[in-house]
Amino acid sequence: MRHAVPFHLVIVPPPAGRSPREYLVEELRTALLAGEIRANEPLPSSRVFAEAMGVSRGTVVSVYEELAGEGYVVSVPGSGTFVAEDLPRPDLAAAPTPARSASGRRGRGVPRHQSPNPHSRQAYAAPPHSRQANATPASGRDVAAVRAVVNLSPGSPSTRFGENREWISAWRDAVRHDLPSLPPPDGGDPELRKSIAAHLRMARGVRCDVEDVVVTAGTSDGLGLLLHGLRAAGAPGLRIATENPGYPTARKVIDRLGAIPVPISVREGGMDLAELGRAPGPFAAALLTPSHQYPLGGRLPVAARLALLEWARKADAVIIEDDYDSEFRHGAPSLPAIASLDTEGRVVLIGSFSKILTPWLRCGYLVIPDPELRARVLEVRATLGQPVSGFVQSALAEFLRSGGLKRHLVRVGREYRHRRSLVIAAAAELGPNVRLDAVEGGLHATLSWTTGRTDAEVVAALAARGVGLAALSAYYHRDTRPGRRGIVFGYGAPSDLELRTALAAITEVLNS
Amino acid sequence: MRHAVPFHLVIVPPPAGRSPREYLVEELRTALLAGEIRANEPLPSSRVFAEAMGVSRGTVVSVYEELAGEGYVVSVPGSGTFVAEDLPRPDLAAAPTPARSASGRRGRGVPRHQSPNPHSRQAYAAPPHSRQANATPASGRDVAAVRAVVNLSPGSPSTRFGENREWISAWRDAVRHDLPSLPPPDGGDPELRKSIAAHLRMARGVRCDVEDVVVTAGTSDGLGLLLHGLRAAGAPGLRIATENPGYPTARKVIDRLGAIPVPISVREGGMDLAELGRAPGPFAAALLTPSHQYPLGGRLPVAARLALLEWARKADAVIIEDDYDSEFRHGAPSLPAIASLDTEGRVVLIGSFSKILTPWLRCGYLVIPDPELRARVLEVRATLGQPVSGFVQSALAEFLRSGGLKRHLVRVGREYRHRRSLVIAAAAELGPNVRLDAVEGGLHATLSWTTGRTDAEVVAALAARGVGLAALSAYYHRDTRPGRRGIVFGYGAPSDLELRTALAAITEVLNS
């Protein structure tokens, strides 16, 4: 039986045994890519389409949301859902195709240009010419062949949010009153600390007291604060064990604040604990990304987590657990946070809302179970000043409390899983010497190889094709030799179509 | 001719030659204090009252606003203006009078308790028992004798804001869009930098390029950033000349970041430049509050400003000009900012929106004309991370651009001038050995003396009466002997009635 829905597209209702939502997303995506619906045309209302397909209206809303997240359609509040303007149309594929501009998807007040900074997993930006309309004619009928310009900054999250009512109302509540005459407390807004503790219990199984939570302006601020607090304990020239390769920004913060980042190699599954055990001490701390090693991926097994706790006990060191994107698992289940295995208060959990919401917010947290260390950290905060706006803290507390963040994570998690499948499909077309890593969670991937072109050459070739991403070598400690050559890229921020374009360029360059 | 306005109060219309606004404020204030209108009674609508008085409706609105700012009346949007509940009623003055509670004037999400910190001009809080209902019977018919509990934290601004539409709409614009996938630029949102440059031109006569402005999370953050940037220039153990007495928080920031605060005495008009000239160098910088010395008051004369520039040239040092409350001048005109006299890029202007808007916001600025120093500061910012939320920056930019801040400054400036007149009147009742300072601008005052009780004793006696304020000795460098004994208190945050109560306690204690 075929239902004609009241526009010119004809779709068979979902067959039994298939998820109606997945089926409809796929059918519409195919129809859109085939040019069966034109740019700016309206899709049927969710009510009409739901009736025609014999599914619930909620299913259709969720299908439209997913397609909007992928960039195929655009929702206009109060008007309906429309086919995106910049959809490649096969019948015009040989003609110039305007690329989607950054401003079309960003809010007012968002900077158009950012200085490129390959040493940050947040701030890496494409070359200056990126994200501008590119009039190079598309070379064929394949979507992936459209030469758009795409920024695959590792770690940049999805920007799709629209006019999120829960978000706007949380901010309105935060700013509608008389002005407070004092700054926020040193540890942060009590309501936000409560919301963060609840979020960590739900998302990471970490049971922490509200008092353990210290609000920060993000991971770098949290790390800096912690280093100041550790230094107050005595030792000058603190030595901090860091993953190699690892997060270059963290190494730079450690370096700038007069501490010493000591590189420890990363093996399958994370930091090489044997190497850590052999490394001459003393260590004030070890900084790790045990749930999703950055940038290589991999999870530290539970036995290694327990061994690390034992090392920390013997070394009298603190473990800094950077759980930067654990909210997104794709298949592989979460392992318990080291913080949740810790009975002695040796683990400090560090995190932020940069990846799960937006780095524009500048808000994160430390969870410090040890009261002495926490008191030192709060003393430093009191001296150097609270940087996190009380308005930000109140609004975020309310957005967490109301469940708005939870719903946002479900929406973007679905987007990321879909885009990750595109990355995996593209990687399957690469030669056997290229290895795909880090796709078991989060919103970035690495492709690496051992011989042949340097990663700098590959990054340059891709930049020439309008694709901005990072070289794996930038993640290695400057005094060590990179173990593998590779590229690191994010699939959180680009639209589905941008990602397809970029992946086509990546496979083309790596296979050539 | 007498107009009976349609409630039981009878007021003569403004006589010729008097400002109708000032006249009506005074008449209503007197009537309210005399108990001629009772708590919770409505005032006539602005239209009715304006007609009866033969003045414009705008005048009446502004009169009601001022009385609301002073705590005499309460505006209920959509309902009208009512006599405040906690107005002391002379006929009941011998019965228990509930004190105004903090929560009555604060917004949701504002912490009720803050840890006392006498070393911050922002965070000084009254003792824990303060701001709670106090059932001690009032001892007489005088308003000032009502034993309320009042926090006179130096530097806390007025909280009166209500549902400020410009403010709410600026925030709405900042948060209503898709989420940006990158953090704000290292130097800050370009729109905010532009708005700050325009504000400084208007308020302080400082002509700066937009690029000179670096957005910070407040004065402490700005000072820390600058110290990191100065250190990158070479010298470890930077020596910074600081005013004595001066802002203790700044000294603590300098100390914590490994630099050395060198105390230079304050004479009439600010830092003693002869002592600075004799002090052994090298100095990386001198930190001053030349427009309104903190906490003693006084302005550095223009000749001294030029001499200071000459010193900086010879010493190859930077002048850090902290212009913390120059937006509020009461009588004495502003002198040109040192930054506006500087032709060599030696002056860094440091400021924040904590005093002129709210310390809850956590936003401020540095103006760094020297491109080399600015580049070093921005490099430090890039390394240690941008702490200021893009949402805060966008909203503040719009609030400045739309003129919302300008209008707010006019409103609170009027409040401050009125409350300052109460401070001056109270000080006139003190003995000749007590000196009043700092009231030529801003929102704080000092009362000081040379012999007799220590300031700790006076602060304790006032705390026992429920009045929280700071001892002048806390503003002196720890290695120096305080020159005068005194108290430092703010008149920005308390209501008019709270201030009257506190001033009565202060005169009582100082005269006993």
Side-chain angles (χ1 to χ4, degrees):
Chain A
M1 187 179 79
R2 291 171 84 89
H3 285 265
V5 303
F7 80 136
H8 68 261
L9 183 67
V10 177
I11 290 183
V12 182
R18 284 211 57 183
S19 146
R21 206 187 58 75
E22 276 174 24
Y23 169 83
L24 289 175
V25 166
E26 230 167 71
E27 289 289 305
L28 278 171
R29 201 189 278 135
T30 308
L32 287 158
L33 285 175
E36 289 178 32
I37 329 177
R38 297 300 178 93
N40 296 322
E41 281 191 46
L43 266 62
S45 76
S46 55
R47 190 184 52 75
V48 166
F49 196 43
E51 271 176 23
M53 292 291 115
V55 300
S56 80
R57 197 168 160 188
T59 300
V60 174
V61 168
S62 138
V63 165
Y64 284 4
E65 267 184 16
E66 178 151 351
L67 291 170
E70 293 170 6
Y72 290 101
V73 302
V74 172
S75 277
V76 180
S79 295
T81 302
F82 298 83
V83 179
E85 240 185 58
D86 47 3
L87 251 196
R89 288 148 57 182
D91 51 343
L92 291 176
T97 306
R100 164 179 283 253
S101 80
S103 56
R105 284 204 348 267
R106 294 252 177 93
R108 205 190 116 274
V110 177
R112 300 281 175 262
H113 304 291
Q114 297 255 346
S115 56
N117 174 9
H119 287 280
S120 163
R121 73 178 177 219
Q122 290 163 337
Y124 181 82
H129 63 275
S130 72
R131 283 200 170 266
Q132 287 166 8
N134 181 330
T136 311
S139 58
R141 296 175 64 90
D142 188 345
V143 173
V146 178
R147 287 270 171 78
V149 176
V150 187
N151 178 4
L152 299 188
S153 306
S156 291
S158 170
T159 64
R160 283 122 202 133
F161 208 50
E163 297 226 355
N164 185 310
R165 256 175 275 166
E166 284 169 305
W167 178 246
I168 292 172
S169 114
W171 283 95
R172 196 185 149 81
D173 281 357
V175 306
R176 69 189 297 195
H177 304 280
D178 276 351
L179 295 172
S181 64
L182 295 172
D186 297 328
D189 182 324
E191 289 300 316
L192 179 56
R193 296 164 87 176
K194 210 163 92 182
S195 293
I196 289 173
H199 171 76
L200 291 175
R201 196 161 46 238
M202 187 268 292
R204 300 292 298 125
V206 176
R207 297 203 160 272
C208 56
D209 289 335
V210 173
E211 298 77 50
D212 299 352
V213 179
V214 175
V215 173
T216 69
T219 301
S220 292
D221 175 56
L223 182 57
L225 196 56
L226 192 56
L227 291 173
H228 276 293
L230 287 170
R231 181 175 302 135
L238 295 174
R239 288 159 51 82
I240 314 287
T242 53
E243 294 168 332
N244 192 38
Y247 185 23
T249 297
R251 281 201 304 271
K252 289 185 116 189
V253 169
I254 293 168
D255 206 39
R256 160 65 71 189
L257 293 179
I260 300 155
V262 179
I264 306 291
S265 305
V266 168
R267 310 281 173 223
E268 294 289 332
M271 187 182 270
D272 184 337
L273 295 191
E275 188 178 319
L276 176 65
R278 286 193 307 271
F283 285 102
L287 169 62
L288 299 94
T289 51
S291 295
H292 187 215
Q293 204 278 329
Y294 191 76
L296 293 183
R299 299 177 300 159
L300 204 64
V302 173
R305 290 169 187 239
L306 293 169
L308 187 67
L309 280 167
E310 185 53 32
W311 169 85
R313 196 173 300 124
K314 283 188 187 150
D316 194 18
V318 167
I319 297 168
I320 309 172
E321 180 171 22
D322 182 359
D323 224 14
Y324 64 101
D325 65 4
S326 294
E327 283 80 358
F328 305 116
R329 305 299 312 174
H330 311 309
S334 270
L335 291 179
I338 304 181
S340 73
L341 304 172
D342 173 30
T343 54
E344 296 184 16
R346 293 215 165 268
V347 180
V348 173
L349 196 67
I350 190 167
S352 85
F353 295 93
S354 292
K355 303 264 172 322
I356 62 177
L357 199 50
T358 167
W360 193 248
L361 186 66
R362 313 316 300 139
C363 196
Y365 50 84
L366 292 170
V367 180
I368 314 177
D370 178 35
E372 268 180 55
L373 178 58
R374 192 168 64 238
R376 288 199 301 269
V377 161
L378 290 178
E379 190 274 323
V380 173
R381 182 60 105 201
T383 303
L384 296 183
Q386 169 64 267
V388 189
S389 174
F391 298 112
V392 168
Q393 296 192 48
S394 298
L396 183 58
E398 175 58 19
F399 191 61
L400 266 75
R401 197 204 55 75
S402 71
L405 180 70
K406 216 156 120 184
R407 281 181 280 280
H408 175 69
L409 289 177
V410 170
R411 278 192 302 268
V412 294
R414 198 186 290 147
E415 275 187 36
Y416 294 166
R417 274 192 299 281
H418 170 66
R419 290 209 279 281
R420 167 184 174 264
S421 71
L422 300 181
V423 171
I424 291 172
E429 294 177 24
L430 295 169
N433 62 324
V434 179
R435 177 175 152 170
L436 173 68
D437 278 305
V439 288
E440 73 276 19
L443 45 149
H444 83 276
T446 65
L447 287 166
S448 66
W449 57 94
T450 46
T451 54
R453 272 182 297 182
T454 66
D455 47 19
E457 282 164 5
V458 171
V459 168
L462 284 167
R465 281 172 169 75
V467 176
L469 39 64
L472 180 58
S473 54
Y475 294 81
Y476 282 86
H477 194 280
R478 58 169 184 254
D479 302 334
T480 60
R481 213 159 51 91
R484 294 180 71 84
R485 298 156 181 204
I487 51 176
V488 183
F489 58 96
Y491 53 82
S495 74
D496 205 67
L497 292 171
E498 288 172 331
L499 182 62
R500 283 170 193 266
T501 307
L503 289 170
I506 289 170
T507 45
E508 193 186 319
V509 167
L510 288 182
N511 282 337
S512 72
Chain B
M1 187 179 80
R2 294 173 81 90
H3 286 263
V5 305
F7 78 138
H8 68 261
L9 183 67
V10 177
I11 291 183
V12 182
R18 285 213 54 184
S19 145
R21 207 187 56 75
E22 275 173 23
Y23 168 82
L24 290 175
V25 165
E26 227 166 75
E27 289 288 306
L28 278 171
R29 203 189 277 138
T30 308
L32 287 158
L33 284 175
E36 290 178 30
I37 329 176
R38 297 299 176 93
N40 295 321
E41 280 190 47
L43 265 61
S45 77
S46 54
R47 188 184 52 74
V48 166
F49 196 43
E51 271 176 24
M53 293 292 114
V55 301
S56 78
R57 196 168 162 188
T59 300
V60 174
V61 168
S62 137
V63 165
Y64 284 4
E65 266 182 19
E66 177 151 351
L67 291 170
E70 294 170 6
Y72 290 102
V73 302
V74 172
S75 278
V76 180
S79 294
T81 301
F82 299 83
V83 179
E85 239 184 57
D86 47 4
L87 252 195
R89 286 150 57 183
D91 50 342
L92 293 176
T97 306
R100 162 178 285 253
S101 80
S103 56
R105 286 206 344 267
R106 295 256 175 88
R108 208 189 114 274
V110 178
R112 299 281 175 264
H113 303 291
Q114 299 253 350
S115 55
N117 174 8
H119 286 280
S120 162
R121 74 178 175 218
Q122 291 164 334
Y124 181 83
H129 63 275
S130 73
R131 282 197 171 271
Q132 289 167 7
N134 181 330
T136 310
S139 59
R141 296 175 62 91
D142 188 346
V143 173
V146 177
R147 287 271 171 78
V149 177
V150 186
N151 178 3
L152 299 188
S153 307
S156 291
S158 170
T159 64
R160 282 121 203 133
F161 208 49
E163 296 226 356
N164 186 311
R165 256 175 275 166
E166 284 169 304
W167 178 246
I168 292 172
S169 114
W171 282 94
R172 198 187 147 81
D173 281 356
V175 306
R176 67 188 299 190
H177 304 281
D178 277 350
L179 296 171
S181 63
L182 294 173
D186 297 329
D189 182 324
E191 289 300 316
L192 179 56
R193 296 164 87 175
K194 210 163 92 183
S195 293
I196 289 172
H199 171 75
L200 291 175
R201 196 162 45 240
M202 187 269 293
R204 298 294 297 125
V206 176
R207 299 205 160 269
C208 56
D209 289 335
V210 174
E211 299 76 50
D212 299 351
V213 179
V214 175
V215 174
T216 69
T219 300
S220 292
D221 175 56
L223 182 58
L225 197 56
L226 191 56
L227 291 173
H228 277 294
L230 287 170
R231 181 175 301 135
L238 296 174
R239 287 160 52 83
I240 315 288
T242 53
E243 294 167 332
N244 192 38
Y247 186 22
T249 298
R251 282 201 305 271
K252 289 184 118 188
V253 169
I254 293 168
D255 205 42
R256 161 65 70 188
L257 294 179
I260 300 155
V262 180
I264 306 291
S265 303
V266 169
R267 309 280 173 223
E268 294 291 330
M271 188 182 269
D272 183 337
L273 296 190
E275 187 178 319
L276 176 65
R278 286 192 307 270
F283 285 101
L287 169 63
L288 300 95
T289 51
S291 295
H292 188 215
Q293 202 277 329
Y294 191 77
L296 292 182
R299 299 176 301 159
L300 205 63
V302 173
R305 291 169 187 239
L306 294 167
L308 187 67
L309 281 166
E310 184 55 31
W311 170 83
R313 195 174 301 123
K314 284 190 185 147
D316 193 20
V318 167
I319 297 169
I320 310 173
E321 180 172 20
D322 182 359
D323 223 13
Y324 64 101
D325 65 5
S326 294
E327 283 81 358
F328 305 116
R329 305 298 313 173
H330 312 310
S334 270
L335 291 178
I338 304 179
S340 73
L341 304 172
D342 174 29
T343 54
E344 297 184 16
R346 292 214 166 268
V347 180
V348 173
L349 196 66
I350 190 168
S352 85
F353 295 93
S354 292
K355 302 264 172 320
I356 62 177
L357 199 49
T358 168
W360 194 248
L361 186 67
R362 313 314 302 139
C363 196
Y365 50 85
L366 292 169
V367 180
I368 313 176
D370 178 36
E372 269 181 55
L373 179 57
R374 194 168 63 238
R376 289 199 300 271
V377 161
L378 291 177
E379 190 274 322
V380 173
R381 183 59 105 202
T383 303
L384 296 184
Q386 168 64 270
V388 190
S389 175
F391 298 112
V392 169
Q393 296 191 47
S394 298
L396 183 58
E398 174 58 19
F399 190 61
L400 265 73
R401 196 205 55 74
S402 70
L405 180 69
K406 216 156 118 185
R407 281 181 280 280
H408 175 69
L409 289 177
V410 170
R411 277 192 300 270
V412 294
R414 198 184 292 147
E415 274 187 37
Y416 294 165
R417 274 193 298 282
H418 170 67
R419 289 209 278 279
R420 167 186 174 264
S421 71
L422 300 181
V423 171
I424 291 172
E429 296 179 21
L430 295 169
N433 62 323
V434 179
R435 178 174 151 171
L436 173 68
D437 278 304
V439 290
E440 72 275 19
L443 46 148
H444 82 276
T446 64
L447 287 167
S448 66
W449 58 92
T450 46
T451 54
R453 268 181 301 182
T454 65
D455 48 19
E457 282 164 4
V458 171
V459 168
L462 285 167
R465 282 172 169 73
V467 176
L469 39 64
L472 179 57
S473 54
Y475 294 81
Y476 281 86
H477 194 280
R478 60 168 180 254
D479 303 333
T480 61
R481 214 160 51 94
R484 292 180 73 82
R485 298 157 180 201
I487 51 175
V488 184
F489 58 95
Y491 53 82
S495 73
D496 206 67
L497 293 172
E498 287 172 331
L499 183 63
R500 284 170 192 266
T501 307
L503 289 171
I506 289 170
T507 44
E508 192 187 319
V509 166
L510 288 182
N511 281 336
S512 71

